[in-house]
Amino acid sequence: MAETRTLRVTGKEPVADGVVALTLADPAGARLPDWTPGAHIDLILPGGLVRQYSLCGDRWNPYTYRIAVLREPAGRGGSAYIHDVLDLGEAVGLGGPRNNFPLVPADRYLFIAGGIGITPLLPMVAQADLLGADWALLYGGRREASIAFLENLAGYGDRVQIRPQDRYGLLDLPAFVDGHRPGTRVYSCGPAPLLAAVEQACADLPPHTLRIERFVAAAHGRPLRSTPFQVELARTGTVLTVPAHSSVLDVITAAGADVLSSCRQGVCGTCEVTVLAGEPDHRDSVLDDAERAAGTCMFVCVSRSRTDRLVLDL
Amino acid sequence: MTLPVSDADPFDHDNLEDPGPLHEKLREAGPVVHLTRYDTYALARYEHVHAALTDWQNFQSAAGVGLSNFRYEKPWRPPSLLLEADPPRHDAPRRVLSKIIGPRALHRLRDRWAADAAELVDQVISDGAEVDAVPALAEAFPLRVFPDAVGIPASGRENLLPYGDHLFNAFGPPNDLVAKGAPRAAELSAWVNAQCARDVLDPDGFGAAIWAAADRGELTPEQAPLIVRSLLSAGVDTTVHGLSAVLYAFARNPAQWQRLRDQPSLARVAFDEAVRWESPVQTFFRTATTDVTVGETVIPDGAKILMFLGAANRDPRRWTDPDRFDLSRDPSGHVGFGMGIHQCVGQHIARLEAESLLTALARRVTHVELAGPVRRHHNNTLRAWRSIPIALLA
Ligand code: HEM
Ligand code: FES
């Protein structure tokens, strides 16, 4: 097992105008952490730049992740780096996977995608189909050539409506969500104006019907550090250095701290440690956004530090 | 290499009394051993048990995690939405329950459980220096804190242990242990099911939190009671025998008790080491979803695979001096709670119960030792105790 979690780029191909799909794998060919439709990973690029991308591949293949990246002219360098610089064989850092946009059980799903917002919905569509649910997808984009993954959707027949804006104009949301039946869930991901329109079209539907995922401009304000940092074990005053390529868990257990672990993937929650000072760089799949922001605990098998020093209650 | 075979019955009384010799034989025979009696493929080495546990794609749970194959046989009760489910159906129940009984959510119980444990220990010590650790501590503590935490009513809780005992027997073959539980199975199931209804559950408990998730649309209303049932099924006997295991381990190894006294922060390590050493949940089955190769053996699609967690946790390929209960060992990575997507969702509850009880005992008890002959309780899945007489010196 790698001491810090990295993925290697094993595939990179254009899937639409301005969109590349990446295939990512463990450098040693191990299984990657399991995920569920709607999940995203943090991709940590050189210089500590962090970007979040939805997983859009097949969870039955445990050895690779697939993401799709839109080149954003106004973006802050992440997408341009991936498009122009990142090469096959290169390594990137991994955080997560985490899922803030889970597919809940339902008899009927309506999916509404705008542009690159298709990515979290692709595995949802596959899953809804597998479960035999009644579902439909409305998928808009600027032009046909900018709409990714058409071939993945071709087999679903008229459950999928592709609506390039240059031919159809804006998506006809009221018609799509009309005839609402109880037990329906509406999932949408796309640019902010689309989500606002979807919210409006669904305003009269029962609570909890609509679930949306907003693009966040950048995961964090500041880039992550990739340099060594210190951990202080508060009960003994011991100060240890965590090198860039070691986990906090390995460093503190080697120094004799009695910290249990199990999955070593940031999933099971066994290696929780209380943080007394310093700001953790959370890379686990356990904490939600509020718990992360609180910064009072961390899962030391995968998480690191944003500050020069972390003080742990050990 | 030809596939090693064995006609041993892992569920007969000799092997349930002492599974060690069979585990060693299976481990040493090869990565896979065909158990002819049940036409099942046994995995007993750490490497292969760990791999099968994490590989849900090839080793499924929805066809049952007992010997019975749900592809051909009707389950004796509606299957669990967690334990006996595969993705994608497993996703939502798992997500909801992981949050409700996850490590962060349990912080609010710490102080209360510590106080409960201290009270129980005081009372046990004042009752006399010699006690049977199974009823007095290992059963008493979980029964005192866990049903309250779930939020079920007070009456009828004596049904929990017999229900769990039968449930865990039913993962094995239909032997005398299953026959013994069968007469009460319907009655006990009906009682458990009745405790899962929304209107009987305390609004502060885990049970009500599961129903609240259904209200938010994260589960269907039909799923909620079955997920409450998972807590009542999997959360009582397991911890009772987990606590018995750690108490027995200390009674057998008084020097380790001194270590814990000297360093009470070792309580969590001690419990996980006991879970490794005794493996209170000994076995679970999987079903091959396709022809799957383990070592050099092709296990055919649809075949049942028996994973010996207890054997893996004592595999000398993975553990130095595996038969020793040793607090200086790091037991991390043991498979006593499973591994992968089905890994015990209640492990943080089990650890908190154990930490509470061990901390309270270590504060009061200077010395523990066995005070009479111990007796096992036989169960097809659980490594269990009927009686552990111990002397507690305050
Ligand atoms: C020492 C105590 C315990 C032990 C040794 C134990 C062991 C296990 C094991 C080995 C599994 C994996 C099953 C598989 O892979 O098929 C498991 C799953 C499970 N356990 Fe535990 N358990 C314990 C305590 C608890 C408690 C306290 C609860 C509930 C509060 C609980 C609830 C569950 C549930 C619901 C599952 C199924 C999870 C899933 O399939 O996603 N367990 N447990
Ligand atoms: S060991 Fe599982 S979260 Fe760290």
Side-chain angles (χ1 to χ4, degrees):
Chain A
M1 169 161 338
E3 287 84 35
T4 53
R5 299 198 307 163
T6 54
L7 298 173
R8 198 168 293 288
V9 180
T10 60
K12 179 174 175 181
E13 81 263 351
V15 288
D17 282 359
V19 182
V20 287
L22 297 185
T23 309
L24 304 163
D26 179 81
R31 281 182 72 98
L32 297 174
D34 290 304
W35 58 281
T36 51
H40 67 267
I41 55 172
D42 288 338
L43 214 58
I44 301 153
L45 301 170
L49 217 57
V50 185
R51 291 294 178 268
Q52 302 189 330
Y53 295 104
S54 297
L55 293 172
C56 62
D58 173 13
R59 65 195 294 212
W60 264 263
N61 173 353
Y63 299 106
T64 58
Y65 288 157
R66 217 165 131 79
I67 60 172
V69 180
L70 172 70
R71 177 194 288 279
E72 293 183 80
R76 294 195 303 153
S79 69
Y81 177 85
I82 291 171
H83 274 258
D84 301 335
V85 183
L86 186 65
D87 238 335
L88 289 185
E90 270 181 53
V92 287
L94 168 69
R98 293 199 296 143
N99 196 341
N100 299 329
F101 191 42
L103 191 65
V104 299
D107 297 331
R108 181 163 178 261
Y109 300 99
L110 296 178
F111 300 108
I112 304 166
I116 197 67
I118 189 65
T119 49
L121 300 182
L122 267 188
M124 292 191 189
V125 160
Q127 180 147 316
D129 204 62
L130 181 75
L131 286 166
D134 183 9
W135 65 272
L137 167 67
L138 180 64
Y139 181 10
R142 288 216 165 74
R143 292 164 290 112
E144 177 136 351
S146 70
I147 297 186
F149 299 116
L150 291 177
E151 69 285 7
N152 296 53
L153 298 165
Y156 294 122
D158 58 10
R159 286 188 181 280
V160 176
Q161 302 169 35
I162 309 286
R163 294 290 179 265
Q165 197 176 339
D166 59 355
R167 277 173 50 205
Y168 292 89
L170 291 179
L171 293 178
D172 187 356
L173 298 171
F176 188 65
V177 302
D178 192 32
H180 173 84
R181 295 203 298 275
T184 300
R185 303 282 174 227
V186 182
Y187 278 79
S188 185
C189 183
L194 172 69
L195 295 182
V198 169
E199 282 183 312
Q200 200 179 354
C202 295
D204 294 333
L205 301 183
H208 309 298
T209 298
L210 174 62
R211 286 162 194 267
I212 59 180
E213 180 153 85
R214 293 175 201 286
F215 295 137
V216 276
H220 304 285
R222 287 168 291 139
L224 295 179
R225 63 185 297 139
S226 50
T227 48
F229 55 91
Q230 291 185 322
V231 289
E232 178 181 332
L233 310 182
R235 294 183 203 170
T236 56
T238 314
V239 176
L240 304 162
T241 300
V242 182
H245 293 289
S246 302
S247 69
V248 175
L249 176 68
D250 286 342
V251 170
I252 63 181
T253 51
D258 301 309
V259 176
L260 289 170
S261 60
S262 181
C263 70
R264 291 180 145 259
Q265 291 188 322
V267 174
C268 71
T270 300
C271 67
E272 180 185 3
V273 169
T274 299
V275 178
L276 301 173
E279 193 187 337
D281 162 11
H282 296 290
R283 304 212 181 160
D284 62 86
S285 311
V286 180
L287 298 179
D288 61 29
D289 287 339
E291 292 164 340
R292 293 181 154 223
T296 53
C297 78
M298 68 186 288
F299 296 93
V300 289
C301 64
V302 294
S303 295
R304 308 185 64 79
S305 182
R306 295 177 69 88
T307 42
D308 292 340
R309 182 177 285 209
L310 283 177
V311 183
L312 303 179
D313 186 16
L314 287 172
Chain B
M1 193 177 99
T2 55
L3 174 63
V5 297
S6 166
D7 66 355
D9 181 357
F11 305 99
D12 73 20
H13 285 279
D14 287 345
N15 283 323
L16 293 179
E17 180 67 23
D18 180 11
L22 172 65
H23 287 175
E24 182 172 356
K25 229 179 273 167
L26 295 173
R27 259 190 329 248
E28 297 317 312
V32 189
V33 181
H34 189 230
L35 297 180
T36 49
R37 193 179 293 252
Y38 299 117
D39 188 16
T40 282
Y41 295 80
L43 310 180
R45 293 185 182 173
Y46 179 87
E47 177 193 345
H48 303 100
V49 170
H50 187 283
L53 283 166
T54 43
D55 182 0
W56 56 267
Q57 287 92 343
N58 286 308
F59 298 87
Q60 69 163 168
S61 291
V65 296
L67 177 63
S68 172
N69 190 330
F70 297 172
R71 291 198 196 176
Y72 316 112
E73 294 164 69
K74 186 174 150 31
W76 72 278
R77 56 167 203 167
S80 163
L81 300 185
L82 287 122
L83 188 65
E84 296 160 319
D86 294 332
R89 290 196 163 80
H90 179 257
D91 298 348
R94 176 78 195 193
R95 178 182 172 89
V96 166
L97 203 50
S98 309
K99 191 86 202 168
I100 292 174
I101 59 174
R104 298 303 297 161
L106 298 186
H107 282 269
R108 69 183 180 94
L109 293 172
R110 282 192 84 84
D111 293 346
R112 198 180 321 156
W113 286 11
D116 278 328
E119 215 174 276
L120 176 68
V121 167
D122 286 349
Q123 177 213 319
V124 166
I125 289 174
S126 71
D127 287 351
E130 264 186 46
V131 293
D132 187 340
V134 177
L137 293 165
E139 291 181 357
F141 188 61
L143 286 175
R144 181 178 180 128
V145 298
F146 184 69
D148 280 349
V150 178
I152 63 169
S155 73
R157 291 182 180 186
E158 68 281 1
N159 290 326
L160 287 168
L161 287 173
Y163 175 74
D165 192 47
H166 182 64
L167 169 71
F168 282 101
N169 274 326
F171 292 121
N175 58 13
D176 61 305
L177 290 167
V178 177
K180 182 193 68 175
R184 291 195 68 202
E187 166 216 340
L188 292 171
S189 294
W191 178 82
V192 166
N193 293 343
Q195 312 314 304
C196 302
R198 152 180 242 142
D199 52 346
V200 307
L201 290 163
D202 183 276
D204 281 340
F206 303 140
I210 292 168
W211 278 100
D215 291 341
R216 293 190 303 271
E218 295 166 24
L219 300 169
T220 66
E222 295 74 36
Q223 289 177 314
L226 280 165
I227 296 168
V228 182
R229 191 191 70 174
S230 287
L231 294 181
L232 300 178
S233 309
V236 191
D237 296 62
T238 47
T239 45
V240 166
H241 299 303
L243 292 173
S244 300
V246 75
L247 293 171
Y248 172 70
F250 278 123
R252 275 269 308 272
N253 300 279
Q256 299 298 317
W257 185 253
Q258 289 318 314
R259 279 190 85 123
L260 178 68
R261 294 255 311 158
D262 294 343
Q263 202 185 329
S265 63
L266 281 173
R268 288 167 69 82
V269 171
F271 180 62
D272 265 63
E273 168 66 349
V275 171
R276 179 199 69 81
W277 186 66
E278 276 275 278
S279 302
V281 172
Q282 285 274 297
T283 46
F284 268 123
F285 289 80
R286 293 289 189 264
T287 307
T289 57
T290 175
D291 291 352
V292 37
T293 306
V294 178
E296 291 164 24
T297 302
V298 177
I299 299 176
D301 182 11
K304 279 280 167 177
I305 295 130
L306 176 50
M307 305 176 297
F308 285 88
L309 311 182
N313 280 338
R314 296 212 189 185
D315 183 351
R317 292 165 190 76
R318 169 65 176 78
W319 310 97
T320 328
D321 210 353
D323 296 333
R324 262 174 69 119
F325 171 74
D326 181 358
L327 298 201
S328 62
R329 176 201 309 281
D330 180 0
S332 297
H334 70 74
V335 289
F337 288 120
M339 199 57 77
I341 63 167
H342 292 282
Q343 190 184 37
C344 185
V345 69
Q347 61 183 301
H348 310 291
I349 291 187
R351 290 199 181 103
L352 185 59
E353 286 185 21
E355 187 185 354
S356 310
L357 186 62
L358 290 176
T359 307
L361 282 167
R363 205 171 288 139
R364 293 280 324 259
V365 175
T366 57
H367 187 81
V368 332
E369 63 185 31
L370 289 177
V374 292
R375 265 202 307 146
R376 286 276 171 195
H377 168 76
H378 291 183
N379 180 286
N380 282 333
T381 305
L382 302 172
R383 183 101 175 108
W385 289 106
R386 163 129 312 142
S387 173
I388 310 173
I390 53 170
L392 299 172
L393 305 185

